[in-house]
């Protein structure tokens, strides 16, 4: 196997399915060798490691492991430790990031792929629940994109809804390209208190009510936001503390991922079996940028993959649904 450094340099230049598979297998072998928790998990499943020839055969580590184990491939001092949000008393995930430059490269290249250069936009980040705590990977990403936008109007907002409204009115008059990235409940607050007809606005929700509002189904949520802002589509960002990469939706809840990230669907009744396209199940994610933690993660999200490799998020497991995953955590 080549040095992992050479793999690191190839992640963001994947040329096709065979290249992805080759890199996935190399990273799997590296992580099996160097991540003790992942190796123990793979061995517990009695996986024939030497016989794995395709990424679909690789075991996926339940994301819950990040809450009570240190998931690192190798022993290193982390550049950053990202933590998940959670209500009081809830155990949160930790992601030990060996090289913050890898994370920056991942989210910048992904942003440029879907939207172009950050300096084409004013970027407004309405992320109150994230700004009020330390260790948010989303805040880190937004902060860097705001810096790269190099616009005076770009910045973070906590609860200054009237200020955002005034700014949006001004930017609309200037015909400025604007991305308003917001946690879902804060965007709903803005929609109710300060609606504005701004069809050119890229309105992007990051998901989650964070205990501040009753959860809404996507169509209802997006309908409210479309009406309030006069936009034809609501964009979405899909990421998590345990990942180095993100997927984006430009409308209708259909997400696309960068070339180094792949979504597979597992059977909720048999978590070790994968389902074909168009079928609903648990979302497994391969994120090759997760070199120094674990690139193969079984999430608590429900979804399905479309024939063109785009995917949809359809909900989350409840406590009874994830029992099958928990059995794998013995």
């Amino acid at each position: 196997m080549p040095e992992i450094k050479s793999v690191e340099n190839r992640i963001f230049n994947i040329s096709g399915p065979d290249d992805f598979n080759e890199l996935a297998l190399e990273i799997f072998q590296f992580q099996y060798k160097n991540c003790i928790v992942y190796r123990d998990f793979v061995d517990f499943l009695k996986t024939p490691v030497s016989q794995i020839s395709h990424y679909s055969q690789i075991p996926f580590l339940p994301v819950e492991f990040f809450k009570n184990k240190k998931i690192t491939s190798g022993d290193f001092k982390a550049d950053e430790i990202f933590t998940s949000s959670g209500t009081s008393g809830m155990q949160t995930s930790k992601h030990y990031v060996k090289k913050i430059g890898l994370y920056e490269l991942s989210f910048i290249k992904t942003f440029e792929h879907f939207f172009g250069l950050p300096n084409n936009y004013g970027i407004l980040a309405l992320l109150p629940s994230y700004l009020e705590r330390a260790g948010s990977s989303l805040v880190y990403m937004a902060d860097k994109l705001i810096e790269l936008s190099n616009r005076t109007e770009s910045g973070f907002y906590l609860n200054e809804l009237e200020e955002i409204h005034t700014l949006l009115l001004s930017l609309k008059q200037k015909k400025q390209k604007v991305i308003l990235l917001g946690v879902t409940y804060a965007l709903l607050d803005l929609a109710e208190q300060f609606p504005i007809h701004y069809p050119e606005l890229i309105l992007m929700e990051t998901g989650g009510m964070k205990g501040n509002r009753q959860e809404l189904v996507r169509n209802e949520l997006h309908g409210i936001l479309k009406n309030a802002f006069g936009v034809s589509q609501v964009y979405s960002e899909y990421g998590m503390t345990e990942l180095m990469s993100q997927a984006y939706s430009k409308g209708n809840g259909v997400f696309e991922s960068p070339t180094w990230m792949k979504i597979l669907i597992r059977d909720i009744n048999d978590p070790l079996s994968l389902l074909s396209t168009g079928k609903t199940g648990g979302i497994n994610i391969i994120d090759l940028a997760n070199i120094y933690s674990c690139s193969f993660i079984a999430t608590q999200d429900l979804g399905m993959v479309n024939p063109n490799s785009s995917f949809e998020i359809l909900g989350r497991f409840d406590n009874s649904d994830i029992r099958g995953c928990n059995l794998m955590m013995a």
Side-chain angles (χ1 to χ4, degrees):
M1 173 183 169
E3 290 295 322
I4 201 64
K5 180 66 178 177
S6 68
V7 173
E8 183 181 310
N9 292 335
R10 290 158 52 201
I11 286 171
F12 305 110
N13 298 290
I14 290 174
S15 59
D18 291 342
D19 198 17
F20 180 93
N21 188 58
E22 181 181 340
L23 274 171
L25 294 176
E26 290 175 9
I27 291 172
F28 165 67
Q29 293 293 342
F30 170 77
Q31 292 177 346
Y32 177 74
K33 179 180 177 181
N34 293 282
C35 181
I36 296 171
V37 175
Y38 185 50
R39 182 170 67 243
D40 288 347
F41 173 73
V42 172
D43 289 346
F44 173 77
L45 296 177
K46 295 181 171 54
T47 305
V49 172
S50 61
Q51 297 177 29
I52 291 178
S53 60
H54 192 265
Y55 61 77
S56 61
Q57 301 169 305
I58 294 173
F60 288 81
L61 185 74
V63 72
E64 296 95 324
F65 273 93
F66 282 82
K67 292 183 176 180
N68 50 37
K69 302 288 185 182
K70 187 175 182 180
I71 310 299
T72 59
S73 289
D75 186 21
F76 56 82
K77 184 179 185 301
D79 281 351
E80 294 280 343
I81 301 175
F82 291 133
T83 58
S84 63
S85 58
T87 56
S88 178
M90 180 184 294
Q91 199 168 15
T92 57
S93 293
K94 287 186 177 181
H95 188 176
Y96 296 83
V97 178
K98 180 178 182 179
K99 297 183 179 182
I100 196 62
L102 263 180
Y103 180 53
E104 292 180 356
L105 198 57
S106 179
F107 68 68
I108 291 170
K109 282 186 170 291
T110 302
F111 183 92
E112 290 177 348
H113 173 73
F114 288 104
F115 304 103
L117 296 174
N119 62 11
N120 290 332
Y121 302 91
I123 300 176
L124 315 183
L126 181 59
L127 303 169
S129 57
Y130 293 91
L131 288 171
E132 292 165 330
R133 67 176 183 85
S136 167
S137 57
L138 177 61
V139 168
Y140 188 99
M141 178 179 78
D143 185 52
K144 187 65 176 181
L145 292 175
I146 286 168
E147 176 190 333
L148 292 173
S149 78
N150 198 28
R151 302 291 180 95
T152 55
E153 64 271 16
S154 295
F156 285 101
Y157 295 86
L158 191 59
N159 296 302
E160 305 92 339
L161 300 184
E162 188 171 3
E163 183 180 339
I164 292 179
H165 180 256
T166 302
L167 179 57
L168 287 174
L169 286 172
S170 172
L171 294 172
K172 178 185 175 183
Q173 289 181 337
K174 297 175 183 177
K175 297 186 178 347
Q176 168 76 57
K177 286 185 176 180
V178 177
I179 294 175
L180 174 56
L181 171 70
V183 63
T184 305
Y185 77 84
L187 290 178
L188 284 172
D189 289 344
L190 182 63
E192 290 175 358
Q193 298 176 41
F194 298 100
I196 175 176
H197 186 75
Y198 195 165
E200 300 81 17
L201 178 68
I202 295 180
L203 184 67
M204 185 182 301
E205 52 102 3
T206 64
M209 295 300 186
K210 307 300 178 187
N212 290 272
R213 279 175 171 261
Q214 182 179 355
E215 294 285 345
L216 299 173
V217 296
R218 187 191 71 233
N219 288 343
E220 184 179 1
L221 165 65
H222 285 195
I224 293 170
L225 295 176
K226 286 179 187 178
N227 290 335
F229 295 98
V231 295
S232 60
Q233 295 292 350
V234 174
Y235 290 56
S236 302
E237 181 264 350
Y238 178 72
M240 57 184 67
T241 300
E242 301 84 0
L243 299 177
M244 297 273 273
S245 304
Q246 312 77 37
Y248 287 99
S249 166
K250 293 188 176 183
N252 300 318
V254 178
F255 289 85
E256 295 183 19
S257 54
T259 55
W260 56 91
M261 181 180 180
K262 190 172 289 292
I263 308 298
L264 298 90
I265 303 298
R266 69 180 182 275
D267 190 329
I268 59 174
N269 296 311
D270 181 7
L272 300 181
S273 297
L274 299 178
L275 299 176
S276 56
T277 58
K279 294 185 177 180
T280 300
I283 291 179
N284 287 355
I285 297 178
I286 300 176
D287 181 3
L288 298 184
N290 268 31
I291 303 177
Y292 300 106
S293 54
C294 181
S295 290
F296 312 95
I297 297 176
T299 77
Q300 292 181 331
D301 293 322
L302 288 165
M304 68 177 216
V305 173
N306 299 315
N308 65 354
S309 296
S310 65
F311 67 99
E312 300 176 41
I313 310 295
L314 303 174
R316 286 178 67 81
F317 288 99
D318 61 27
N319 289 332
S320 60
D321 289 331
I322 64 173
R323 199 172 299 146
C325 289
N326 289 340
L327 287 174
M328 297 194 296
M329 296 176 63

